[in-house]
Amino acid sequence: MTTEKTKCLIIGSGPAGYTAAIYASRANLSPLLYEGLQPGGQLTTTTEVENFPGYPEGIDGTQLMDDLRKQAERFGADIRTGLATSCNLEKAPYHVIIEDEKEIIADTLIIATGATAKYLGLPDETKYAGQGVSACATCDGFFYRKKIVAVVGGGDTACEEATYLSSLAAKVYLIVRKDYLRASKIMQQRIIDNPKIEVLYNHNAVGLVGEKGVEGVKLVEKTATAERNYELPIDGFFLAIGHKPNTEIFKAYLETDQVGYLKTIPGTPKTQLPGVFAAGDVADSHYRQAITAAGTGCMAAIDAEKYLSENGLL
Ligand code: NDP
């Protein structure tokens, strides 16, 4: 195994990771960034991004991430393909292993590994990816103005996404597998009071139909006494069954909440370990936006530089 030393290691290549790399390279930290499994992160799975400030006409998600990457490279960030597979954060400097082949010893570590939206695991979700299947209503809801959409899930996210979509779509079905919603009472009430939302309890989505894009969902309604299979015409299928933060390799060293999101000192990207920062969705179960991720990536790089300077490591 080869070993390499760096002042600043960034793991993850979404808006948080790339923005951290832009700031860290402009501060002469010569950051090293490993892209992880999905170079460019979640935004590369959506089509158009219309809410990232500075693009009045919107921008393709992959293009936006390419641009952020180029901007980081312009100032000297060393961006590499590779997945962090384990780490030892017992004390500084921190050790991170890349695919069991390389060991990086880092004075500061910026964790920007993001979160992955959960899918049901139906082959049709892949078949219709970007053609009517989405796991982000704020990103893609706008394309369903006056159309019919379905949201899967019964938690706070599903209720929030359904409420958001109801302001755009003509009709929203909420597909809930149990006979009750798990969401908080206030969110449930919003759903019940909304004439555009219809809750389908005891329902499971088992497939999608459509020629070019999604035109319908195959449903199974199961109660104690009966089972009914039918198809419901829809234009968009939204998953809201939770996100899984990509924090597995850090859990032995860093505090997480009960879902697994990294805990940071409120208002900062600082974790409980000096010189270790968490930016973007990996530490944010609430906002989960590209612009908020970019913002915390910037903050992490600024704090990393301050830490290096204060500890005579620059
Ligand atoms: P949750 O885990 O709370 O809810 C997931 C929902 O998806 C549940 O209804 C669950 O059903 C359903 N589900 C899971 N897997 C499947 C499946 N395979 N098929 C069908 N349905 C499935 O996740 P959320 O993302 O909603 O929330 C995560 C956390 O973030 C929560 O603590 C929540 O309170 C919080 N949050 C808070 C918000 C706010 O306060 N504004 C907004 C959004 C999230 P079942 O109930 O049957 O298990």
Side-chain angles (χ1 to χ4, degrees):
M1 188 170 321
T2 54
T3 300
E4 207 175 322
K5 271 215 76 181
T6 182
K7 278 187 245 180
C8 179
L9 174 64
I10 301 165
I11 313 176
S13 57
Y18 283 151
T19 305
I22 293 168
Y23 275 76
S25 51
R26 287 191 82 251
N28 282 338
L29 304 188
S30 310
L32 188 56
L33 181 150
Y34 276 94
E35 289 182 319
L37 266 189
Q38 190 178 43
Q42 286 189 70
L43 276 194
T44 57
T45 65
T46 77
T47 44
E48 189 123 298
V49 180
E50 294 182 328
N51 53 10
F52 200 91
Y55 297 95
E57 305 303 325
I59 181 163
D60 177 80
T62 306
Q63 183 65 51
L64 175 62
M65 298 319 298
D66 265 2
D67 288 348
L68 286 179
R69 181 199 160 107
K70 282 189 198 133
Q71 196 173 347
E73 282 176 328
R74 182 179 149 210
F75 299 109
D78 184 351
I79 296 177
R80 303 179 185 174
T81 349
L83 183 69
T85 43
S86 63
C87 66
N88 182 345
L89 309 184
E90 225 139 71
K91 58 178 180 357
Y94 301 106
H95 293 237
V96 175
I97 306 292
I98 310 294
E99 287 168 10
D100 301 327
E101 279 175 2
K102 193 162 196 129
E103 181 183 38
I104 308 290
I105 302 173
D107 291 324
T108 60
L109 175 62
I110 298 177
I111 300 168
T113 46
T116 308
K118 289 192 209 158
Y119 283 76
L120 294 171
L122 306 173
D124 286 342
E125 288 170 324
T126 321
K127 182 176 168 190
Y128 294 100
Q131 292 180 302
V133 173
S134 169
C136 178
T138 332
C139 317
D140 298 325
F142 194 68
F143 304 112
Y144 298 92
R145 272 169 301 167
K146 301 200 166 48
K147 300 208 167 158
I148 302 172
V149 297
V151 177
V152 184
D156 279 324
T157 302
C159 291
E160 216 169 65
E161 305 267 89
T163 306
Y164 176 78
L165 286 166
S166 73
S167 64
L168 301 160
K171 168 100 192 170
V172 181
Y173 292 103
L174 188 59
I175 302 171
V176 182
R177 66 179 172 182
K178 294 195 175 134
D179 61 357
Y180 61 88
L181 292 168
R182 185 202 285 210
S184 51
K185 287 279 174 278
I186 186 162
M187 291 304 292
Q188 293 192 27
Q189 199 56 49
R190 268 184 216 156
I191 294 291
I192 292 157
D193 292 343
N194 190 320
K196 276 194 183 171
I197 301 175
E198 183 176 339
V199 185
L200 304 175
Y201 291 107
N202 300 310
H203 276 69
N204 273 294
V206 292
L208 297 165
V209 292
E211 288 288 317
K212 284 195 182 135
V214 170
E215 289 170 15
V217 56
K218 289 183 191 170
L219 293 171
V220 179
E221 180 184 15
K222 240 186 219 167
T223 55
T225 50
E227 184 172 314
R228 178 165 79 110
N229 290 267
Y230 67 105
E231 264 178 44
L232 186 70
I234 55 163
D235 304 295
F237 184 71
F238 287 81
L239 283 311
I241 58 171
H243 281 74
K244 190 178 181 301
N246 302 316
T247 52
E248 218 45 60
I249 65 167
F250 309 110
K251 278 185 177 165
Y253 305 97
L254 294 171
E255 274 182 50
T256 62
D257 69 9
Q258 58 198 31
V259 183
Y261 288 91
L262 293 182
K263 280 193 181 170
T264 51
I265 297 170
T268 80
K270 293 176 187 169
T271 68
Q272 84 266 23
L273 294 179
V276 178
F277 306 92
D281 287 11
V282 75
D284 174 13
S285 63
H286 186 65
Y287 297 103
R288 297 196 201 114
Q289 298 301 299
I291 189 64
T292 49
T296 51
C298 152
M299 291 156 72
I302 289 174
D303 285 349
E305 201 230 343
K306 189 159 181 272
Y307 169 85
L308 289 167
S309 158
E310 285 173 356
N311 289 280
L313 294 165
L314 275 182

